[in-house]
């Protein structure tokens, strides 16, 4: 909105400057009245001043409304000090997280997760295929360019060769896994037991498709995804969705360089300022 307003203001200034020049020039005698309806350059100048002031006032009103909207937007804050989290990155990474998903049953959800995370934590950087993927052959390098590895668990995920490539890269690089569970069957989800069975049946590639030579088999994958951390339940309902986002944010922050050095800062957890009271999630 602000960019459009600025462009409109510049256009008006250019047009009105042309009007004043026409009205002041003796070469365009009577053209001022004929073209723009002013009897003299003084009248044109008055009009230019009034319109410019009006446009500036409109611009200021828009800025104020945008600022108020930004202040009212729910954002992640630390319970320990009420401040926004420190979003630093290691020198080896350009993203706070890489989100792995299968398009057929997880595309819409992961896109929503990334967009909503950027709203509640504006400085977060999450690798998402539609935004960042340039070369399908460089998936493993992309996983390595993120501090954490977010796994969106939905039906068919473990059957995808590319998803397994990302999983094996995450294991090989020893990235912290953050599993996110889609439980709604109508949205491509399934019970954790079903997804675990799918993992055991498909994550059987020798040497992790060449990415992870020491891969010991599906039991290692199951342990990392389903047992090391409880998967975060993804919920669409607004208030409950904020709880899902808080859980994802907290997991990501725990593995960031700053909070690895200062874990006590996260002991109390996080809150979504302006997001209403907390709600419990049940898987």
């Amino acid at each position: 909105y602000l960019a459009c307003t600025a462009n409109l203001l510049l256009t008006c200034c250019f047009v009105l400057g042309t009007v004043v020049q026409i009205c002041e020039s003796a070469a365009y005698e009577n053209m001022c009245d004929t073209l723009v309806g002013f009897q003299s350059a003084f009248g044109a100048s008055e009009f230019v001043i009034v319109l410019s002031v009006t446009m500036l006032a409109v611009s200021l009103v828009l800025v104020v409304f945008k600022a108020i909207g930004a202040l009212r937007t729910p954002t992640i804050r630390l319970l320990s000090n009420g401040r926004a989290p420190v979003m630093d990155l290691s020198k080896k990474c350009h993203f706070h997280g890489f989100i792995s998903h299968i398009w057929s049953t997880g595309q819409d959800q992961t896109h929503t997760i990334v967009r909503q995370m950027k709203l509640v934590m504006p400085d977060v950087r999450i690798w998402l295929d539609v935004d960042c993927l340039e070369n399908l052959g460089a998936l493993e390098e992309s996983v390595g360019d993120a501090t954490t590895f977010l796994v969106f668990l939905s039906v068919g995920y473990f059957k995808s060769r590319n998803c397994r490539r990302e999983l094996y890269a995450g294991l090989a690089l020893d990235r912290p896994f953050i599993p996110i569970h889609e439980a709604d069957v109508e949205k491509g989800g399934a019970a954790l037991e079903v997804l675990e069975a799918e993992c055991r049946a498909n994550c059987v590639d020798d040497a992790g498709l060449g990415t992870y030579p020491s891969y010991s088999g599906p039991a290692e994958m199951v342990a990392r995804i389903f047992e090391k951390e409880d998967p975060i339940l993804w919920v669409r309902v607004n208030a409950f969705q904020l709880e899902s986002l808080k859980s994802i944010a907290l997991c990501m922050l725990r593995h960031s360089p700053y909070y690895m050095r200062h874990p006590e800062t996260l002991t109390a957890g996080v809150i979504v300022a302006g997001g209403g009271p907390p709600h419990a999630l049940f898987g």
Side-chain angles (χ1 to χ4, degrees):
Y1 296 114
L2 293 178
C4 291
T5 303
N7 287 331
L8 180 61
L9 183 59
L10 288 172
T11 302
C12 287
C13 289
F14 173 77
V15 173
L16 295 173
T18 303
V19 169
V20 172
Q21 186 176 18
I22 290 174
C23 292
E24 287 181 339
S25 175
Y28 299 102
E29 189 175 357
N30 299 323
M31 287 287 285
C32 184
D33 184 37
T34 303
L35 293 179
V36 293
F38 294 109
Q39 298 295 328
S40 64
F42 181 77
S45 299
E46 284 185 327
F47 176 73
V48 168
I49 292 171
V50 171
L51 188 58
S52 298
V53 170
T54 302
M55 290 297 296
L56 285 171
V58 170
S59 300
L60 287 173
V61 169
L62 284 174
V63 168
V64 170
F65 273 110
K66 292 292 288 183
I68 292 173
L71 290 173
R72 290 180 176 176
T73 300
T75 53
I76 295 287
R77 291 286 187 272
L78 304 184
L79 272 172
S80 60
N81 55 26
R83 298 176 182 174
V86 177
M87 301 300 298
D88 63 341
L89 283 165
S90 70
K91 295 180 179 179
K92 297 180 180 180
C93 296
H94 295 91
F95 295 90
H96 298 97
F98 176 104
I99 191 161
S100 177
H101 67 283
I102 184 169
W103 278 36
S104 59
T105 58
Q107 184 179 22
D108 291 343
Q109 301 95 310
T110 51
H111 291 188
T112 299
I113 289 170
V114 173
R115 304 301 177 231
Q116 292 299 109
M117 285 292 293
K118 288 182 178 179
L119 286 176
V120 299
M121 209 155 59
D123 293 329
V124 73
R125 300 193 66 197
I126 301 177
W127 193 101
L128 180 65
D129 51 8
V130 295
D131 296 331
C132 307
L133 181 61
E134 296 179 353
N135 178 10
L136 192 60
L139 282 176
E140 291 82 0
E141 289 80 358
S142 297
V143 173
D145 199 23
T147 304
T148 61
F149 184 70
L150 288 72
V151 186
F152 191 80
L153 301 170
S154 60
V155 171
Y157 174 78
F158 296 102
K159 296 179 181 178
S160 167
R161 179 182 174 87
N162 284 329
C163 290
R164 296 200 305 277
R165 284 174 57 195
E166 294 165 0
L167 286 169
Y168 296 135
L171 286 176
L173 294 163
D174 196 27
R175 289 293 183 263
F177 277 46
I178 303 175
I180 306 167
H181 175 214
E182 172 60 85
D184 190 339
V185 176
E186 294 183 358
K187 302 294 184 180
L192 284 174
E193 294 78 11
V194 173
L195 295 169
E196 181 178 331
E198 183 183 294
C199 176
R200 291 185 183 277
N202 291 277
C203 294
V204 294
D205 306 282
D206 291 336
L209 294 173
T211 300
Y212 185 33
S214 61
Y215 181 56
S216 60
E220 181 180 0
M221 190 69 76
V222 166
R224 180 63 73 92
I225 296 174
F226 296 94
E227 298 172 1
K228 188 170 184 178
E229 298 283 349
D230 290 332
I232 297 167
L233 181 65
W234 174 244
V235 186
R236 289 168 181 76
V237 181
N238 232 7
F240 294 96
Q241 185 182 102
L242 288 176
E243 295 302 312
S244 297
L245 295 171
K246 279 168 53 179
S247 297
I248 296 169
L250 186 57
C251 287
M252 294 179 70
L253 291 173
R254 282 173 177 159
H255 298 288
S256 68
Y258 179 83
Y259 294 106
M260 291 285 284
R261 298 192 301 270
H262 306 282
E264 70 284 353
T265 314
L266 294 176
T267 303
V270 297
I271 190 173
V272 179
H279 295 76
L281 297 179
F282 297 94

